[in-house]
Amino acid sequence: MKSFEEFIENRIVKMHTPDKSRAKFLLIESGKSYNNLLILEEKLGINNDNANLFLKICYDVLMEIIRAKMLLDGYNASGNGAHEAEVSYLSKINFLENDIKFLDQMRFFRNGIVYYGTILEGEYAVKVVKFTK
């Protein structure tokens, strides 16, 4: 994975004035999605048929939190490579390398689901939900 600074150099990440209101919105939305995730997990359970759904929800929850933090710190990622830049940002704020790698793997699989028809197994989705919690 590229360093966060490389994403700034390549203008995928731009610096700007912190946006507290948008960050607050993203945190509220993330919280709502997280609560729905817990309800779905309790009511449906995780299995091979809904594994992709759980990964997409978890990914969105985590990315909204990351985006909120970036906005508060005066950064915004957009365009091709934006999601990778947002994951890379975690290294700047001292997340553990293993956690960053797992989230990057989630990013890769979510991209596969959305664009290439990747189908995940329930076992992996259980790990994703545990990571999100």
Side-chain angles (χ1 to χ4, degrees):
M1 176 177 291
K2 296 177 193 172
S3 71
F4 186 69
E5 289 70 26
E6 287 179 76
F7 290 104
I8 293 172
E9 289 170 15
N10 294 326
R11 304 205 26 89
I12 293 167
V13 173
K14 296 179 179 106
M15 297 169 71
H16 59 79
T17 304
D19 190 340
K20 291 180 184 179
S21 64
R22 188 166 165 225
K24 181 179 178 182
F25 170 80
L26 288 172
L27 289 174
I28 290 169
E29 287 298 303
S30 179
K32 289 177 186 177
S33 295
Y34 182 74
N35 288 335
N36 286 318
L37 167 73
L38 297 178
I39 292 167
L40 285 172
E41 180 187 24
E42 180 184 326
K43 303 260 184 204
L44 297 177
I46 302 170
N47 58 55
N48 290 340
D49 291 335
N50 61 23
N52 285 9
L53 172 67
F54 277 96
L55 179 118
K56 289 189 291 185
I57 293 170
C58 289
Y59 182 79
D60 287 344
V61 165
L62 296 170
M63 293 308 290
E64 285 175 340
I65 294 168
I66 293 167
R67 287 182 189 124
K69 175 65 174 150
M70 287 179 69
L71 287 166
L72 290 173
D73 290 345
Y75 297 105
N76 187 44
S78 63
N80 190 25
H83 288 233
E84 188 179 353
E86 291 162 339
V87 172
S88 177
Y89 180 69
L90 296 176
S91 64
K92 182 172 178 62
I93 57 174
N94 300 317
F95 269 68
L96 297 174
E97 187 176 337
N98 285 341
D99 290 342
I100 297 168
K101 284 181 180 179
F102 190 81
L103 187 55
D104 192 49
Q105 183 182 63
M106 286 175 60
R107 179 193 62 77
F108 178 81
F109 286 138
R110 180 251 178 212
N111 193 56
I113 291 167
V114 172
Y115 298 107
Y116 304 108
T118 300
I119 298 174
L120 301 175
E121 294 182 3
E123 184 179 326
Y124 182 73
V126 168
K127 291 178 185 177
V128 166
V129 170
K130 183 178 178 182
F131 178 81
T132 302
K133 288 178 178 180

